[in-house]
């Protein structure tokens, strides 16, 4: 198979390139050439889709599948799709569950309402950008397009630092503020499982829109943090604390305590999406212990969470030690 990845050096794009190369596919990446490296044998084309004639390097190429991780202006997504219409068999666009309008609703399905978005827009917030790009790709490729609405993505290479923060925090040992309840379900997908599924589905010319994430109860906060303790081998004690106590202290879910989204939170529905379609289309997810162990192994090799390739720098995630100690003392 001949694969083209638009991007290819970030978290999802990098995992997709690595998996395709492992399979022996012919792999080409297209990006500005400013960030990251590609595996040996991967062909790199340089260009900037937002610049005049920035897609010229794609002229004359032929590929069976393209995977596009773009999260910028929808107009640029449409321009890339039009440039590839005659040279690519199937278009896979990596979108997000953030496009849904009701983030608190459990069981969000692919036909649930999404935010209003213009496929020709040049700006917008993240949900609008992703929804607009979905529309732009569909307008061009129609039934030759697969829209993968990813949820929480974890695994080696993570460039946001959610799971790496928990691993480093638990590595320090001592009493760890563990946000309860321990049996709170966590829905996520390992980046390698997402990448493999997109390649499989693209090769089979699967079309349509899919919530590309694991089961709503793929794991729990307890299983996840227990796996972190086991992987690091640290002398850490998980101090399970009620959500009301944590919230009363001003601690923010998701940002201060990554991955944790308590019941009743206005974005809780993004961890409870319906994935019937994706599972029926072959998505298989590995156990949380494997994701955690492999992420810890990778984190020790690289030392620190890498910058987000070609994207704006995000604020740090994770709770300040002094604030954590204050909550535990209370």
């Amino acid at each position: 198979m001949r694969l083209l990845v638009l991007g290819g050096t970030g978290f999802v794009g990098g995992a997709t390139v690595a998996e395709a190369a492992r399979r022996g596919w012919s792999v080409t990446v297209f990006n500005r050439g400013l960030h990251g490296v590609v595996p040996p044998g991967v062909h790199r084309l340089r260009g900037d889709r937002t610049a005049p004639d920035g897609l010229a390097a794609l002229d004359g190429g032929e590929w069976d599948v393209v995977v596009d991780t773009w999260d910028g202006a929808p107009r640029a997504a449409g321009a890339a799709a039009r440039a590839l219409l005659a040279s690519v068999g199937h278009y896979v666009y990596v979108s997000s569950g953030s496009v849904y309008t009701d983030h608190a609703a459990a069981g969000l399905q692919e036909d649930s309402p999404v935010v209003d978005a213009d496929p020709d827009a040049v700006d917008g917030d993240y949900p609008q950008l992703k929804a607009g790009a979905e529309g732009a790709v569909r307008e061009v490729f129609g039934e030759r397009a697969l829209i993968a609405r990813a949820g929480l993505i974890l695994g080696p290479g993570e460039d946001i630092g959610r799971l790496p923060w928990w691993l480093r925090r638990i590595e320090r040992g001592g009493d760890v503020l563990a946000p309860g309840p321990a049996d709170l379900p966590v829905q996520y997908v390992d980046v390698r499982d997402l990448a493999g599924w997109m390649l499989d589905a693209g090769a089979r010319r699967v079309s349509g829109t899919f919530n590309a994430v694991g089961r709503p109860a793929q794991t729990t906060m307890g299983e996840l943090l227990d796996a972190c303790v086991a992987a690091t081998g640290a002398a850490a004690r998980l101090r399970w604390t009620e959500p009301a106590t944590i919230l009363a202290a001003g601690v923010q879910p998701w940002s201060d305590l990554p991955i944790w989204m308590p019941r009743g939170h206005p974005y809780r529905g993004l961890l409870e999406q319906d994935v019937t379609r994706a599972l029926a289309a072959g998505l298989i997810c590995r156990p949380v212990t494997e994701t955690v162990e492999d992420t810890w192994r990778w984190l020790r090799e690289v030392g620190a969470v890498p910058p987000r390739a070609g994207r704006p720098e995000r604020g740090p995630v994770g709770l300040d030690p002094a604030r954590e100690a204050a909550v535990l003392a209370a």
Side-chain angles (χ1 to χ4, degrees):
M1 296 292 293
R2 300 165 299 175
L3 173 70
L4 170 66
V5 179
L6 303 182
T9 58
F11 184 29
V12 175
T16 303
V17 168
E19 173 59 18
R22 186 192 67 81
R23 297 181 179 194
W25 289 18
S26 172
V27 183
T28 301
V29 300
F30 170 84
N31 54 46
R32 293 177 299 169
L34 302 178
H35 306 275
V37 297
V38 296
V42 172
H43 183 49
R44 191 170 197 170
L45 299 175
R46 286 175 168 78
D48 182 352
R49 69 167 91 194
T50 65
D53 298 322
L55 297 165
L58 298 173
D59 293 346
E62 290 187 2
W63 299 277
D64 300 299
V65 180
V66 59
V67 174
D68 188 359
T69 62
W70 180 250
D71 61 1
R75 176 181 292 182
R82 287 189 294 274
L84 294 169
L85 180 59
S87 56
V88 167
H90 208 67
Y91 205 109
V92 179
Y93 177 67
V94 184
S95 186
S96 167
S98 297
V99 300
Y100 294 114
T101 56
D102 189 357
H103 295 153
L108 289 166
Q109 297 178 321
E110 289 82 358
D111 58 357
S112 296
V114 301
V115 299
D116 292 331
D118 180 3
D120 198 42
V122 295
D123 58 18
D125 60 23
Y126 183 74
Q128 292 171 327
L129 294 176
K130 281 297 192 181
E134 285 186 10
V137 169
R138 288 194 198 95
E139 282 184 358
V140 177
F141 270 81
E143 292 301 312
R144 289 197 287 145
L146 184 156
I147 308 299
R149 288 178 180 158
L152 170 62
I153 309 172
L154 303 176
E158 186 195 335
D159 54 8
I160 295 176
R162 296 187 177 105
L163 181 54
W165 182 83
W166 278 112
L167 287 162
R168 288 300 191 194
R169 169 60 194 94
I170 288 173
E171 180 193 24
R172 294 204 312 267
D175 288 345
V176 177
L177 178 61
D183 63 355
L184 180 71
V186 175
Q187 184 181 40
Y188 78 99
V189 65
D190 187 297
V191 68
R192 298 163 295 180
D193 297 331
L194 173 62
W197 177 77
M198 291 192 299
L199 294 178
D200 290 340
R204 302 197 317 268
R205 303 294 179 91
V206 174
S207 63
T209 303
F210 297 82
N211 289 335
V213 65
R215 299 178 185 275
Q218 175 79 1
T219 190
T220 64
M221 284 303 301
E223 292 172 347
L224 179 70
L225 297 191
D226 283 344
C228 290
V229 173
T232 60
R237 295 175 297 277
L238 300 177
R239 293 275 300 278
W240 291 101
T241 306
E242 290 297 321
T245 301
I246 296 173
L247 298 174
V251 175
Q252 296 299 311
W254 201 252
S255 56
D256 288 337
L257 292 176
I259 302 173
W260 179 60
M261 193 77 74
R263 293 185 177 94
H265 191 278
Y267 285 85
R268 176 64 198 176
L270 295 182
L271 295 184
E272 298 180 348
Q273 298 179 56
D274 184 284
V275 292
T276 303
R277 292 196 65 195
L279 297 179
L283 176 61
I284 299 174
C285 297
R286 69 194 67 205
V288 67
T289 51
E290 185 174 336
T291 298
V292 169
E293 290 169 358
D294 291 348
T295 301
W296 177 236
R297 184 179 302 110
W298 160 79
L299 186 59
R300 285 185 296 169
E301 291 173 354
V302 299
V305 175
R308 304 177 73 230
R311 297 177 181 178
E313 184 176 352
R314 299 174 66 108
V317 300
L319 188 61
D320 178 80
R323 293 181 64 203
E324 179 189 18
V327 177
L328 287 172

